[in-house]
Amino acid sequence: MTKSDQSFIRQFGWLIAGLHVLALVLLIMAYTIYTRAPKETNPQVAQKIAARLAPAGAVYAGDTGRAAMAAAQEAAAKAAASQVAFGGSTDGKTVYDGLCHSCHTAGVAGAPKLGDKAAWAPRIAEGIDTLVKHALEGYHGPDGNFMPPKGGMPSLTDEQVKNTVHWIVDQAK
């Protein structure tokens, strides 16, 4: 091996060693940055874990049990009320403004327009109970008009639908 080859191998060895040191320094820096960076957290993880670990049932006994059962029933009633459309409001105008106006203002699918006495007169003549039934169960008219059950919002209560029908009819009288 010539002196020139030995010099090249020595320099090449130092280059490889230097590159190893550089790679090691970069890896240490990357690990340091990674461990110090704040971790992304999901706020629902704790709730999911608590739900997964919660007991499937409970035993209630005596006065403590009655109080716990009453609290559970109250919580269930509040949860059910929160699932009702429009926060459970039974005001007909509120429900109309939130849902019905989209069809009954423009006459979509043959819907009679709000306050149009000529369009509402034959319907009112059938009786308020029939109008409420059509609003609750849906209606396909002979002239192609269509009313989906509960206006397409099944979370409405029967009382909300009834009060809204009464409000709409009052506008057409």
Side-chain angles (χ1 to χ4, degrees):
M1 197 184 277
T2 65
K3 238 179 180 176
S4 166
D5 289 340
Q6 289 176 350
S7 174
F8 172 76
I9 290 175
R10 193 177 319 113
Q11 288 176 352
F12 187 71
W14 281 107
L15 176 67
I16 295 297
L19 288 174
H20 277 92
V21 170
L22 177 63
L24 187 61
V25 168
L26 290 174
L27 284 171
I28 291 170
M29 286 176 49
Y31 180 75
T32 304
I33 290 171
Y34 172 76
T35 57
R36 290 189 182 167
K39 303 294 183 253
E40 199 173 310
T41 58
N42 184 347
Q44 296 176 346
V45 168
Q47 294 172 345
K48 288 181 181 178
I49 291 172
R52 191 174 63 234
L53 296 176
V59 176
Y60 297 113
D63 291 335
T64 305
R66 278 190 282 282
M69 285 175 44
Q73 288 173 346
E74 183 179 326
K78 285 182 182 178
S82 70
Q83 299 300 317
V84 176
F86 303 104
S89 172
T90 56
D91 178 41
K93 181 173 180 5
T94 302
V95 176
Y96 175 85
D97 289 341
L99 176 66
C100 308
H101 74 90
S102 57
C103 293
H104 285 282
T105 300
V108 174
K113 295 181 181 179
L114 181 69
D116 184 354
K117 293 179 183 186
W120 279 102
R123 290 171 173 87
I124 293 171
E126 292 179 21
I128 194 77
D129 291 335
T130 303
L131 289 173
V132 170
K133 179 181 176 194
H134 288 169
L136 287 171
E137 299 173 3
Y139 177 73
H140 290 276
D143 53 354
N145 56 348
F146 171 70
M147 167 75 182
K150 294 187 177 182
M153 185 177 280
S155 61
L156 286 174
T157 64
D158 291 355
E159 183 181 4
Q160 287 174 311
V161 173
K162 182 179 177 184
N163 290 345
T164 304
V165 169
H166 281 279
W167 184 84
I168 292 171
V169 167
D170 288 344
Q171 305 307 306
K173 288 185 177 180

